[in-house]
Amino acid sequence: MPAWLELLIRVVGVLVAFLTLPLLVGQAEHKVMAHMQGRLGPMYAGGFHGWAQLIADGVKFVQKEDLTPREADRAVFRLAPVVALVPYLLVLLVIPLGPGGLVGQPLDVGLFFVLAVVGIGVLAVLMSAWASANKYSLLGGLRGAAQLLGYELPLVLAAASVAMAAGTLSLSGIVEAWQPWWLLWQAPAMIVFFVAGLAEIRRPPFDMPVADSELVFGYMTEYSGLRFAFFLLAEYVGIVVIAALTTVLFLGGWQGPFADAQLGWLWTLLKVFAVSFVIIWLRVSYPRLREDQLQRLCWLVLVPAALAQLVLTAAVRLAL
């Protein structure tokens, strides 16, 4: 197969995943929340089990007028939703779906690339907050920046622990080196990574930057129509990315109970959707953290736990 054709197939595959997986997660969130909270609305659209709810939401966003505040910085205001989406698309390029090179673009330093690109998300928050010319948006943006910059540290430390255990920065290499007993040994790092990942994508209970009871809708207050939909899509893509990274780094990726490597992609997807379900479950189950609680959790709990796990990993590696 020509190199250009193989590259085209890989890119198209990643684009398809980028456009479909977040929609499936969004549909699942509608249904899970409807069952857990007794919501009737999402169960009616389209008839059977409300299958058309997501379609109805899409039509609603398309019909809404796209407004830009008069005092806003128009170029930055319109660019912010794109900046929120692009980093996640780049991350999906290097996350392996299965063995045998089933990845958009394999990189020897894939973990380093992922952590660097995910950190760009703070720019979209600051861009939308500043360009909106709205005090609620600005307050939400400042909260978001403080949250993202703070939780970046435990996220990186937890990822460094599993990379040290595997002896590689390649995401495929980490999956290949993974052993079932890592579920116990690297469990603290997994919990830290998962919680910090939730904070990075600003999912409840870490949604202080968009606290509707205080800030209308934070840095997204002035957005409407498709631009607002892009921010919501970025949130769902973020769920897929955090779930996929948790799967690849800590849950063995494509490794399953059977030795059939042909089903590796299926195990990866099952684990990704299972972790996504947990993310949705947490949104339904826990109230929003106050700003002081959020920062205290980061600096007094997650960072020390990640550092302790890093020391433990180094000690075990030296002993082995």
Side-chain angles (χ1 to χ4, degrees), residues 21 24-26 28-29 32 36 95 155 178 183 189-198 201 203-204 235-253 266-284:
L21 291 180
L24 294 176
V25 171
E29 181 169 64
V32 171
M36 287 186 172
I95 295 179
L155 186 80
W178 183 86
L183 290 173
M190 180 178 66
I191 295 172
V192 170
F193 184 90
F194 180 74
V195 173
L198 287 182
I201 59 176
R203 287 283 299 182
E235 179 179 335
Y236 288 126
V237 181
I239 293 175
V240 173
V241 166
I242 294 301
L245 288 175
T246 303
T247 296
V248 168
L249 295 177
F250 300 100
L251 300 179
L266 180 59
W267 290 118
T268 301
L269 290 179
L270 288 175
K271 293 175 184 177
V272 168
F273 282 113
V275 177
S276 299
F277 172 79
V278 174
I279 294 175
I280 297 170
W281 187 4
L282 290 175
R283 173 179 180 176
V284 178

Side-chain angles (χ1 to χ4, degrees), residues 4-16:
W4 66 269
L5 181 58
E6 181 181 357
L7 178 61
L8 179 62
I9 293 175
R10 290 175 182 270
V11 171
V12 170
V14 171
L15 284 175
V16 171

Side-chain angles (χ1 to χ4, degrees), residues 174-224:
I174 291 174
V175 176
E176 292 170 355
W178 183 86
Q179 299 294 329
W181 67 281
W182 285 20
L183 290 173
L184 295 177
W185 178 39
Q186 293 295 323
M190 180 178 66
I191 295 172
V192 170
F193 184 90
F194 180 74
V195 173
L198 287 182
E200 285 289 310
I201 59 176
R202 300 168 296 283
R203 287 283 299 182
F206 302 97
D207 58 338
M208 279 298 289
V210 291
D212 52 334
S213 61
E214 302 173 18
L215 304 178
V216 186
F217 215 60
Y219 59 92
M220 293 185 285
T221 297
E222 297 291 353
Y223 285 88
S224 60

